Amino acid sequence: ALSGIWLSGAAAAALCFLLSNAVFFIRLRKSRVSEETALSPLPVYVTEAVDTPCLFGLFRPAIYLTPEAAADDTVLRHSIQHELTHFRHGDHIWSILRGACLALHWYNPLVWWAAALSRNDAELACDEAAVTSLSPDARAAYSEALLSCSLSGQKHRPVCPLAFGEVDVKHRVKSILSYKKPAAWVTAVCVL
């Protein structure tokens, strides 16, 4: 009986994740307009179906921007840089794996908490990678871009998005503005 309950819950959770992402994909396909830019090797689209710039897609990932983000050159540049970092880190694949873990362990609140922490860590890692080579003024501009993206309305929220301005913005901005490269000895200790 317990196996049947677990299997039913896992199937329901997986179906929920699949349907949510399928509906989101259909909204993106219907509303997207191609944005020509030399800033990204991935396709870039502008759509009103997203609240914040995001990376979406498993086999053919693309970057989706809000019209407001596409209209501002600074926000456009930082958004694309952030989403490309997600792509380089393979976060679109990790997102699928998080969804699979949630479906298989739908009954375990610790797995749901771990998935939320993992998603937050992915955003923090992208911010850190994106600002390592930026000057303090450029980091401030990156933070302003992050804030402007986070202030848009919450229209659509897919189950596993990788979005520029959606996760724990206050903590992310503090981390960006106080970022310092780790000392060489700290890096050496971590490697050891």
Side-chain angles (χ1 to χ4, degrees):
L2 289 177
S3 294
I5 292 170
W6 168 79
L7 188 58
S8 298
L15 185 62
C16 178
F17 294 153
L18 287 172
L19 286 176
S20 173
N21 282 285
V23 167
F24 186 61
F25 176 72
I26 291 168
R27 282 188 184 144
L28 291 175
R29 292 285 292 202
K30 285 183 177 179
S31 65
R32 71 185 187 183
V33 176
S34 183
E35 174 80 8
E36 296 301 322
T37 179
L39 298 172
S40 173
L42 296 177
V44 177
Y45 299 101
V46 176
T47 177
E48 292 194 10
V50 295
D51 299 324
T52 62
C54 67
L55 175 71
F56 189 80
L58 181 60
F59 300 111
R60 283 186 253 170
I63 296 172
Y64 294 90
L65 303 171
T66 62
E68 297 81 15
D72 184 324
D73 288 339
T74 303
V75 175
L76 173 75
R77 187 176 68 253
H78 289 305
S79 298
I80 289 176
Q81 180 183 13
H82 180 89
E83 300 311 326
L84 285 175
T85 305
H86 271 305
F87 179 72
R88 284 192 300 275
H89 289 176
D91 288 338
H92 57 300
I93 296 167
W94 286 111
S95 183
I96 299 296
L97 294 174
R98 271 194 301 272
C101 288
L102 289 173
L104 292 173
H105 298 277
W106 58 269
Y107 56 88
N108 189 341
L110 292 177
V111 174
W112 287 85
W113 185 42
L117 291 175
S118 170
R119 183 173 166 218
N120 192 41
D121 286 346
E123 292 300 332
L124 290 172
C126 278
D127 289 337
E128 183 176 344
V131 301
T132 53
S133 62
L134 297 179
S135 69
D137 289 340
R139 283 198 299 264
Y142 182 94
S143 296
E144 287 176 17
L146 179 64
L147 283 172
S148 73
C149 288
S150 71
L151 295 176
S152 61
Q154 300 295 319
K155 297 175 281 208
H156 308 289
R157 194 176 279 246
V159 175
C160 298
L162 297 169
F164 180 54
E166 200 169 284
V167 178
D168 196 11
V169 175
K170 180 180 176 182
H171 181 251
R172 288 171 63 192
V173 168
K174 282 182 179 179
S175 296
I176 291 165
L177 293 177
S178 64
Y179 176 78
K180 291 181 181 142
K181 286 188 179 181
W185 69 270
V186 172
T187 304
V189 168
C190 289
V191 169
L192 289 174

